[in-house]
Amino acid sequence: MAIFGDSIKYKTAEEISIMREAALIVSRTLGEVAKHMKPGITPAFLDQMAEDFIRSQHAIPGFKGLYGCPSTLLISVNEEVVHGLPTQRPIQAGDIVSVDCGSVYKGYYGDHAYTFEVGEVSDEKRKLCKVTKECLYLGIEACNTSNRIEDIGYAIQQHAEKNGFSVVRDLVGHGLGTKLHEEPQVPNYGRQGRGKRIQNGLTIAIEPMINMGTYKVKTLDDQWTIVTEDGLPSAHFEHDVALVDGKPELLSTFKYIYDALGIVSNEEDEFRQNPLHI
């Protein structure tokens, strides 16, 4: 589905400022999703709500119509890794639900995802979500001008596998800008010191997809939904990151989600050079 260009498009400070707002529109949308994420809600309801909200923010849905995508949100439940199409099947207590969302604001994309725990989930699912989110921040930490692109994936892979989980190989993070998928591709696995040098102005989506069992995946007959080959659960978290003064700066935030869920966290503080005024 993803179509990449030939070279990395480094962004100016002005472009990064626009991309921050595009990302925050997605963050606010996921905050609205969090308010409604409970047993009995349908993905189709969440999808329509998200589209309405994004349009109310003077933006347009980033996924709908792109590559033929029929929806604003991609909602993936349990063994669905990513790209799940919203259905009328109610979400149930004990599910983990990845919600991936995009927006286009002033010609630039935001792209951001969170895996929700619905009701009481199993200890194994809770650990999977916890470790996957830890992988995300380890990947962000490795995204600095002392490193290369595969250092990001190396950090993610080491932490996932140390905890007994596997890293999806067939899907990657990516550059972000006036296109949803730009160079460079950002795998969630790799070798230290390999890949393109990380430079200021780089804007990427880092998105570990971590499986409880095998790393192998397959695509369902709808040609969108990607599931684990063994049917075990998968988790997915995604942030948008810009390289500023040699360090990663978060463009997106989970704050709106955490406000809705009553979660207190300082996990983003070290990656935010400028406080969010929200």
Side-chain angles (χ1 to χ4, degrees), residues 38-51:
K38 59 185 178 181
I41 203 75
T42 67
F45 172 87
L46 296 174
D47 182 63
Q48 185 60 60
M49 182 206 68
E51 179 175 351

Side-chain angles (χ1 to χ4, degrees), residues 77-133:
V77 182
N78 296 327
E79 76 280 3
E80 297 172 353
V81 181
V82 287
H83 300 168
L85 298 181
T87 69
Q88 294 290 351
R89 183 183 68 186
I91 291 166
Q92 300 180 19
D95 287 341
I96 57 172
V97 183
S98 164
V99 181
D100 195 356
C101 181
S103 77
V104 182
Y105 176 75
K106 294 185 178 180
Y108 288 83
Y109 278 87
D111 181 18
H112 188 27
Y114 189 88
T115 297
F116 294 89
E117 301 174 16
V118 182
E120 289 296 320
V121 305
S122 68
D123 290 343
E124 294 84 357
K125 286 181 176 179
R126 186 173 297 110
K127 180 182 177 183
L128 176 66
C129 290
K130 177 177 180 291
V131 169
T132 304
K133 185 142 64 73

